[in-house]
Amino acid sequence: MISGETTLDVRRRLPGVPAHVGIIMDGNGRWAAMRGLPRIEGHRRGLEALRGTVRAAIDFGLDYLTVYSFSMENWNRPIEEVADLMGLLKRFIRNDLGELHKSGVKVKVIGGRTDLKPDIRALLDEAEDLTRSNTRLTLIVAFNYGSRQEIAAAARALAEEVAAGRLKPSEINETLLSQRLDTAGVPDPDLIIRTSGEKRLSNFLMWQAAYSEFVFLPMHWPDFDRHAFETALAEFSARERRFGRVTAQGQNGKTKKI
Ligand code: FPP
C-alpha cells in the first residue's frame, strides 16, 4: 500500500482483488539455513511475516485469508521443532489476539483439535469466541490440518447420516460434502500463493482449490512482504478465470479454451 492510500484506492489500483487468498508459507527452514541460523529463527521470522501479511490483507480489502501453519504431516518433524511451532502458535494468539480483535479480524481455526494439548485448544477456542462477530477479515489458521483427512472426515459424517437414516446415498452431492468440511460456509480460495519456489499443494485445501489460481514465488516465507503480496495480487488480476467454461471469444465460436 502506498502511504496515504485507502483500501478503496488499493482496490482501484489492483482491480479484481480476490475475496479469498490461501497461503502456503514455505521456506522458513531454508531461510534460516542460508543465514547459518537455527530453524526456529526461520519460524520466528515467519511469524513476523504472517503479522505483516494479515495487516496487508486488511488494507487490500480481502474477505478471507487462509494460512497453512502446521500440517498433519509436520508431526513427523523433530520433537523440538514441533514444540517450537506449538510455542509460536501460542505466542501468536496470546500476543496478537487483542490487536486482531481491535482490527475487526475474525479468527477461525481449521484442522484436527483433538491431537492438540488442552492449553492450545483453549487458546484456539478463546480466539474464535472473542472474534466471532468481527467482519473485516476472516483469518483462517490451518493448524494440524490435512485436506485428505478433512475430506475423509466429511465422508464419514455423511456415511453416519446415511446409517442413521437421515440421508439417502443418492442425495449426496458436492454441496452436502462441502458443508461437512472444516471450511463450510467459506467461499473457495480464488488465489493460492506458495513461497520458496516449490510448486505443489501439499495436502492444503485440495477440494476447495478446484478452480483456484496459483502464484508461486521464489522467495522464502520470512521475506514475503506487502510488495510480494501486491505482486501476487496483480498477477491474479491479470488472469482470466473460466471455471471450465469457454472464453467470451470462444462463445462467439472463434477460439475455444478449456
Ligand atoms: C514451512 O517452512 C513452514 C512451516 C511448516 C510453519 C509455518 C509457520 C510460520 C509461518 C510461523 C508460525 C505461525 C503460526 C501461526 C504457528 P519449512 O519449515 O518447511 O521450511 P523449509 O522447507 O525451508 O525447511
Side-chain angles (χ1 to χ4, degrees), residues 25-31 39 43-44 46-47 50 68-70 74 77 81 85 88-89 92 141 143 196 220-221:
M25 308 182 288
D26 194 13
N28 293 347
R30 276 163 284 173
W31 183 93
R39 290 178 62 81
H43 294 314
R44 277 195 202 119
L47 180 56
L50 173 59
Y68 204 9
S69 323
F70 190 85
N74 286 154
R77 294 192 174 203
E81 185 170 345
L85 286 167
L88 278 185
L89 176 71
F92 179 52
V141 180
F143 197 87
S196 92
H220 296 312
W221 174 251

